[in-house]
Amino acid sequence: VYTAGIVADDPSADASGQTRQILAKIDQYLAEAGSDKTKILTATIWLADMKDFPAMNSMWDPWVPPGATAARACIESKLATPAYKVEIRVVAAR
């Protein structure tokens, strides 16, 4: 299962709020594709500012099931819209 970069529906939220929204969307997309977060193989996370890493990670770490940690890259990058603080793409098995 390949997702495009996923962003928050409400970009007025802070980095943790945006991450929470994105992770919920990932759960939904994976379920629709017959997969789940225990089957994520890789994740790419873009942050508009690396100072938001702790806020993003505070949502990511509890979301990842123990023993199912995917290979992950986290990159600082300008995102498509200045209001976006976080964008995440995952690849998962089915």
Side-chain angles (χ1 to χ4, degrees):
V1 178
Y2 298 87
T3 69
I6 301 168
V7 294
D9 289 331
D10 177 11
S12 68
D14 63 8
S16 61
Q18 288 190 25
T19 303
R20 184 177 21 252
Q21 293 175 53
I22 294 164
L23 297 178
K25 289 168 90 172
I26 290 171
D27 282 333
Q28 176 188 343
Y29 295 153
L30 291 176
E32 290 171 2
S35 187
D36 63 61
K37 63 187 169 188
T38 66
K39 297 177 183 164
I40 294 175
L41 304 171
T42 63
T44 305
I45 302 170
W46 294 273
L47 297 174
D49 191 322
M50 213 42 135
K51 74 176 171 60
D52 288 326
F53 181 84
M56 176 280 300
N57 218 36
S58 74
M59 297 293 105
W60 176 270
D61 281 348
W63 178 79
V64 175
T69 305
R72 179 180 91 167
C74 190
I75 304 145
E76 181 178 272
S77 178
K78 283 188 177 183
L79 301 181
T81 301
Y84 292 135
K85 298 178 180 340
V86 182
E87 182 171 346
I88 302 175
R89 175 184 67 192
V90 299
V91 177
R94 259 198 319 184

